Amino acid sequence: MPPAKRVKSSAASRPNAAAKGRPSTDELEGESEFATLARQHWLRTPKAPQQAVKVKVKNDVLKREIWDTLEREDFPLQSLLVLEGLQTLESYLWPGYGEDSSNYHVLLIILLVNAKRRERLSTWDIFADRPADFSDLFRRALSMTLDGSLSWAIRTHVLLFIISAFQSLDCSIVRKECAPLVSISIWHNLSTDEKRDAILDSNTQLRKAWRASAKRYDAADDVTKARLRFERSWLYTLALDFVSLLYTENAKQEHVLYCERFIEFLTDLQSQLPTRRYVNTLLQDLHVLPALHLSLIFNDEENGLLRDLSTLLSHYTHFTVDDQTGAQLSRNEAYDRHCAALAKLQRTSLKYFKEKLTVLALSNYASIDKRTELEGLLQALTDEDLEQLTALLGLRTTYPESSRIPVDRRFWIEVLLSTFERRKTFQEAARDLSVLPTEETLFDIGLGRTDHYDGSRPLALPKLNLQYLSVGDFLWRAMVLYRCESFYAIRQDIEDALTRLKPDNRRTGLTTFSGFSKMALAIAKPTILEVVPPLVGDDKPSTVRAEVTIDLRRLAPHVRRDWESLRPDDVVFLVAVDASKSKQDANGGAAPSEAERLGLVSVRSAEIIQTFDDKGRPIRDTQAYFDGHSRSDTRKIQLRLDAEAYKADTEARRDVYEGINLLVRRSGRENNFKPVLESIRDLTLSEVPLASWLHEVFLGYGDPAGATYKQLPNRLTKINFRDTFLDWQHLVESLPGKIVEPGDDVSGSFGPPYLLETVEKQAKEAVSKPSKKRRRDAEPALIAEIETLRVSTYKPPNNGPYPVDAPKLNKVRFTPTQIEAIVSGTQPGLTVIVGPPGTGKTDVATQIINNIYHNFPEQKTLLIAHSNQALNQLFAKIVALDIDERHLLRLGRGEEELETEGSFSKAGRVESFLENRQRFLYEVNRLAASMGAPGAHGNSAETAGYFSSVYVEPAWAKFNDVVKAEDVGPDDIIAAFPFQAYFADAPQPLFPPDADREAVLEVARGCYRHVSKIFSELADVLPFEILRRDKDKANYLLTNEARIIAMTSTHAAMKRGEIAALGFHYDNVIMEEAAQITEIENFIPLAMQKPKNGRSGLQRVVLCGDHYQNSPVIQGLAFRHYANLEQSLFSRLVRLGVPAIVLDQQGRARPSISNLYRWRYPQLGDLPHTQTAKEFLAANAGFKYDYQFINVPDYKGKGETEPSPHFIQNLGEAEYAVAIFQYMRLLGYPAAKISILATYAGQRALIKDVLAHRCANNPIFGLPRLVTTVDKYQGEQNDYIILSLTRTTRVGYLRDIRRLTVALSRARLGLYIVGRRGVFEACFELREAFDVLLRRPDKLALVTGEMWPAERPVAAAEDGETRAVVEVEVDGEVVMEGVEHLGQYVFEMAGTRMRMLRAERGLEEAGVVAVGGGMDGGLEAAEGAAEGAGEEEEEEEEEEEDVEEAGRPEGFEAEEDE
């Protein structure tokens, strides 16, 4: 998705309501009413580990102290979050729940579950240990949804609980309760038995399911029958209550809120096949949508959100998918169904109403499938006729008496129109969505609702669910959401630019800009150069060219460089601002946006065609000005306008372009939205199929293990694992639970390479006939009891006599789970690899690629990663393997950062081919000379090919004829070898002395392989001699030469159409960092090729990632939380139960440090070297502990501060972190081995400022390897990490334990965390980690008299039973009482060090540069830096988003054109 970016000063007008409601530490630990109650009743914390105690809940406490307090204030979110933070649900309400619990008890549980879900916290796991009690709780919640004695506000809370449950069907206890509510038994409520029988007769499986449901009911006892009757009537009754509420006169706000939530609930049911299968029929039978559209609430002009929600419900209700089979209907199939319905209407009309409906009966379909035409034809019928027609068509005509639905003429007509009108398919809806914004789409009221989203009301946005109706449904959702999020970010950028520019018209009457923004320039109106007529079949101009002039003379060099760097196809925005038209009042409608307050009138998008200087010469070198080649300050930019908007403006006679006076650009890394949206739209409109073996698993249906290699018919029985196993012992150890036996042609143990063949065993026949129905929780049958593998080997071929000919072999001793992952990834099918920190998932992915490359020489592999950094790390490891470099290709930006000798970009590979051409042609000439062949054979690849066929191949054939004779000995073979002279420069002797016949022959064949490779490489070069255009050469390289193609997910999304159009085909996709990639980014690499014969050629998909670490970055809270846009395919497959291989041995960190996050990975162990290598056994010099949490109280009376919105800083922690770094440097720690991490971008900026002031110019200290945010550092590691947690009032986003996992798992040898103990210790979600951290003192313990590296062993150990820290006395221990103490200590050390250095150099004493927290002057300077950090940071090019997620890694990153 678009990269997370800073929310600038204008963000103050868009407060994050959810963040404002989060409780502070004072509210949780102070003397507030709820905190006091919690300490009295459930937050007792004894010194010894708390024993499991049955909690007795006092009903009077619940009612009087909690419920009444909440009810008086209308259940405020702030109070609910305080109760949630006090662990009321986990420690009091649920432990004390029983069958006799009061309704208030149940409702409080529901309210707190909703609060947890709103905060995206783990919820259902709390109930997992008591499924029977949870079932009772859930049943009571269902009853409450129908309880008319409860207020609609409370029923809304209960409904929200049910919505959350239906969004969590991956949880078994929740699924068990939800499934019966949407089963086929709800069809008991259809209008007539005849209608139900007709539906059941249309599908034999439906009839079987109905009979099975009836049998279950008949066989049940009275209690169970009552429960089954409730289950099948619950949704029906709830829907009738909803429809009745719609017609309430003088509806209150609580009624509207309930209706909005209920429509959200129905939409959720309709948007997943397992819940839709029977529900859709019932809802259409009840005419829910027609009743909704005619209702009073719907037609109240203030209820725009409800109308938007109903549009989304209508989309899913009429979605073109078969409800029973799940098959997506093609456009023709959907139209055929529509025509069949119209035919039934016409036949019925002709048969029963011939006189009145003759025109309708005899009209063509196109003339009666629109609302207006059909409504006019139906006006001829009386009220009784309409009711009769409706009944004859099999539509419901009666409702229970309690229903308030006015069943009248208006209602019948609406039902008929809704049933028979033609609707847009999702493809047509996607086609009509513009990918370029205007002011109407940017400031659309629906998009505006996302600004203030706090979870209190739903949004009219599709959600990314656990399952999808079809691939097309998924693509439609992705397009709508990605488009909304892109436009949301664009609007923020435009508003920020306008805020900084300060439009004004008070002086001259014309709009002027008194401020400055580096992202916008004032311009004169654009000149329309050309309007090219539409293409055939289109109605908009094919191209509209315009020109604008910009003046760069007053811009600072770094800002000018950005404007000079605008490239063709970059999107810019033409903005019309009129300060006199500023909107200040809402006038009863939606409140104006910040941009509208500032006078924004219109926005039009345009793409850059070309940039010219003041003399009209095109500028191709963006550095020309700075290199002194072009000193012009004026630039003319030719633009390609949005043709769709231009057409609409022309037809409406809007003179938009006359008023444009501002050109706005966006940062390159954020401005990829157009090509990505076009890729998604093209996929939505196409019939691109997924591989058949992956289709059902991707949609979330069928057997979760159905796409794994063990379930596929094309499973490979024999694979060459080459160098995967280092020796026989490694082979046996790596395959536990399997029988490993030597093949028939070998005996005993032997060395690699190894070929493994699966010995198939016939499965035993089942005694009884197995059920055809597979329950979701049932384990699949095993293929065989114990798998037997037959191992054989072969002698690797000799590739030549030179050292360069020797193969590069793997040296990693893979663990058994890593081997399991490698085996699965080498086989066809889907492989999901969960890689906890430090478990070597990159090595596993590399070996999978290596195995595929050598086992399947004709196959191509697409290598995808989220970031350039991760891709380069993986690519560098691939280059180091035995893979021919000519088969490697790296696409997109970031290749220049690849630390390899060769260039692997398109241009680099083409250049490499041509460089190799010269080298190989030189070898051809040398070979020709050695063979005495006259002529210029090395002139070109073509002449070299002739030379091979005329001289080399006949010579080798003659040699083979000689050696065929059995009586030819080694000396004769050597004498007959035709290339001895050529190999005179090879290591000698070429043929080993005393070698036997076979050894000599193998050497000769190896030499010929070396020669053959020369000509095969030149044959690959031949097309590059023929092709003239660089683009053609690059495309040939991609489609014909490359076998391993690497690119970021961003590049894949942007270039998908271009790559597919080249006819590029590939067989395998390997995705690194898959859990950090959004689902649409996961999907696009699976669909980058055109199908062959209607089928995808994809054979393997390997996803490597860790869903316990950070998720994809999504900028807007509404899109992240409500729409679930942060969902990755990786995490969804794990939730669905797709078998995942969890790597279980880490080799990064000391075992003591890995203990900090081992609770997240229960099976995680430590590789042997972490317990034996010297660096892991030795203590960290100068520190008593290898890790420690250091409590930092308020510093100079301050804790966290917020200089600008969401820009959070903590000067005390920044000083402490820098002082630790200085201390380490004084002890001799290399700066490159130290990284400083912060949890917020504001704190990172402050730490950089303090470092710049104290360390940057002092050679004793220097700067650490990196100062960055935790989120930016995912995937990285360093020996020593200093971590600042920053917050002192509330936990903040670190409450997401995925971020905490990342933070704690970056260090190898030392981790020193500075933070506020009281804030994080009390957090329920973080308790596992902080229980371990806080077993050690919270004051920094240092050791004097040591220098790095230390010889002292690690000081503290843990008791295996009690897990308590066993203290070890250390000589020279010093405890730091606070930041001032540490600062003074470091200051004195630095002074001593400076005096020593000066004495060594014979210099006089001088003042010591201020260091450490003990220098007041230094502190004042740092405080000044802190106050200005917000403004300075906003001007830096690399600044990230300064919101709670500030600093998280980008999603769709900037890419450069190839």
Side-chain angles (χ1 to χ4, degrees), residues 14 50 76 90 157 200 215 338 347 370 403 507 568 571 731 791 806 892 958 960 1066 1071 1095 1137 1188 1228 1248 1305:
R14 295 183 289 271
Q50 189 169 352
E90 302 90 335
H157 287 295
L200 294 175
K215 286 181 181 178
H338 170 68
R347 288 194 301 270
K370 298 177 182 62
S403 172
R507 294 183 181 177
V571 178
L731 171 68
V791 185
K958 182 179 178 182
N960 279 330
Y1066 54 96
M1071 215 170 289
R1095 299 192 173 202
Q1188 197 174 2
K1248 282 186 172 182
S1305 59

Side-chain angles (χ1 to χ4, degrees), residues 439-458:
E439 75 281 358
E440 293 178 357
T441 52
L442 289 179
F443 298 97
D444 174 72
I445 188 171
L447 187 61
R449 295 188 193 107
T450 62
D451 275 358
H452 304 284
Y453 175 75
D454 62 358
S456 60
R457 299 179 75 172

Side-chain angles (χ1 to χ4, degrees), residues 1214-1225:
E1215 290 285 358
Y1216 213 125
V1218 172
I1220 293 175
F1221 168 72
Q1222 292 176 304
Y1223 173 72
M1224 296 176 74
R1225 292 291 291 131

Side-chain angles (χ1 to χ4, degrees), residues 869 873 1217-1218 1221 1224-1225 1230-1238 1243-1245 1247-1249 1251-1252 1261-1284 1306 1438 1440 1447 1449:
Q869 178 183 336
Q873 288 175 352
V1218 172
F1221 168 72
M1224 296 176 74
R1225 292 291 291 131
K1233 291 182 178 291
I1234 306 170
S1235 294
I1236 303 180
L1237 306 183
Q1243 183 69 352
R1244 181 209 57 201
I1247 291 172
K1248 282 186 172 182
D1249 286 337
L1251 282 167
F1261 302 122
L1263 294 175
R1265 178 183 177 184
L1266 192 63
V1267 180
T1268 187
T1269 56
V1270 169
D1271 292 345
K1272 277 286 188 181
Y1273 208 59
Q1274 178 164 340
E1276 293 292 299
Q1277 66 182 38
N1278 209 345
D1279 285 1
Y1280 306 99
I1281 297 293
I1282 303 169
L1283 171 65
S1284 170
R1306 301 304 96 198
E1438 70 275 9
E1440 296 82 14

Side-chain angles (χ1 to χ4, degrees), residues 605-672:
S605 305
E607 295 174 88
I608 291 176
I609 300 173
Q610 182 71 59
T611 303
F612 301 88
D613 63 13
D614 57 342
K615 296 180 181 178
R617 295 173 300 197
I619 297 176
R620 294 185 173 86
D621 180 9
T622 59
Q623 292 297 315
Y625 174 84
F626 300 97
D627 295 339
H629 300 150
S630 174
R631 305 303 294 180
S632 167
D633 290 319
T634 302
R635 295 286 182 266
K636 293 182 178 180
I637 304 177
Q638 276 197 14
L639 302 172
R640 183 167 48 250
L641 300 182
D642 179 0
E644 191 73 48
Y646 184 85
K647 169 178 171 282
D649 293 335
T650 304
E651 292 176 348
R653 300 183 181 277
R654 292 191 295 260
D655 199 0
V656 172
Y657 302 94
E658 284 292 321
I660 286 173
N661 54 0
L662 195 65
L663 182 69
V664 179
R665 67 179 177 87
R666 300 179 75 214
S667 170
R669 62 182 180 176
E670 301 163 4
N671 208 28
N672 303 317

Side-chain angles (χ1 to χ4, degrees), residues 988-1058:
Q988 299 297 324
L990 185 61
F991 295 95
D994 304 326
D996 60 13
R997 170 189 167 88
E998 289 303 319
V1000 171
L1001 270 177
E1002 185 58 28
V1003 171
R1005 290 172 183 145
C1007 291
Y1008 184 67
R1009 290 188 186 99
H1010 179 92
V1011 171
S1012 297
K1013 185 179 179 183
I1014 294 173
F1015 293 103
S1016 90
E1017 294 245 11
L1018 286 171
D1020 288 342
V1021 170
L1022 184 58
F1024 297 98
E1025 292 184 343
I1026 299 171
L1027 296 170
R1028 289 287 173 259
R1029 296 172 57 206
D1030 290 340
K1031 186 175 182 180
D1032 292 337
K1033 293 178 181 179
N1035 290 339
Y1036 179 85
L1037 182 73
L1038 172 64
T1039 56
N1040 293 77
E1041 285 297 330
R1043 285 177 47 199
I1044 298 173
I1045 302 97
M1047 66 186 81
T1048 62
S1049 53
T1050 303
H1051 188 85
M1054 292 173 60
K1055 302 293 184 179
R1056 184 260 160 199
E1058 183 180 317

Side-chain angles (χ1 to χ4, degrees), residues 148-304:
S149 66
L150 297 176
S151 70
W152 285 106
I154 292 176
R155 290 175 72 176
T156 302
H157 287 295
V158 181
L159 179 60
L160 186 56
F161 174 81
I162 303 300
I163 291 173
S164 297
F166 273 93
Q167 289 175 352
S168 307
L169 296 180
D170 53 313
C171 179
S172 59
I173 61 169
V174 175
R175 185 171 61 251
K176 182 180 177 183
E177 302 305 322
C178 293
L181 303 175
V182 291
S183 68
I184 197 171
S185 63
I186 65 173
W187 281 4
H188 279 281
N189 304 293
L190 294 182
S191 54
T192 63
D193 293 344
E194 293 77 10
K195 180 175 183 177
R196 181 176 61 243
D197 289 339
I199 298 172
L200 294 175
D201 290 340
S202 67
N203 188 309
T204 56
Q205 294 301 319
L206 284 177
R207 177 62 73 180
K208 289 180 180 179
W210 180 257
R211 288 172 182 163
S213 174
K215 286 181 181 178
R216 278 196 301 274
Y217 181 81
D218 294 339
D221 56 27
D222 291 342
V223 174
T224 306
K225 283 183 177 179
R227 179 173 62 82
L228 293 174
R229 286 194 297 271
F230 174 80
E231 289 173 349
R232 71 192 188 193
S233 64
W234 175 78
L235 183 59
Y236 170 76
T237 309
L238 199 64
L240 287 178
D241 285 353
F242 162 69
V243 174
S244 298
L245 180 61
L246 289 172
Y247 289 87
T248 301
E249 295 185 4
N250 302 317
K252 300 178 181 177
Q253 185 64 19
E254 65 176 13
H255 298 151
V256 177
L257 290 176
Y258 179 86
C259 290
E260 289 172 352
R261 284 294 181 192
F262 193 81
I263 296 173
E264 177 195 3
F265 174 56
L266 294 183
T267 304
D268 286 351
L269 294 182
Q270 293 283 60
S271 61
Q272 295 191 95
L273 194 60
T275 52
R276 171 195 180 90
R277 183 167 281 122
Y278 307 116
V279 168
N280 191 29
T281 302
L282 177 63
L283 294 183
Q284 293 204 47
D285 178 73
L286 285 170
H287 307 314
V288 169
L289 281 172
L292 173 59
H293 292 157
L294 294 175
S295 67
L296 299 173
I297 289 180
F298 179 90
N299 290 288
D300 187 331
E301 64 179 12
E302 294 185 359
N303 297 332

Side-chain angles (χ1 to χ4, degrees), residues 1326-1337:
L1326 310 184
R1327 68 192 185 285
E1328 296 279 0
F1330 277 84
D1331 281 350
V1332 180
L1333 277 171
L1334 297 176
R1335 289 181 204 147
R1336 296 181 174 180

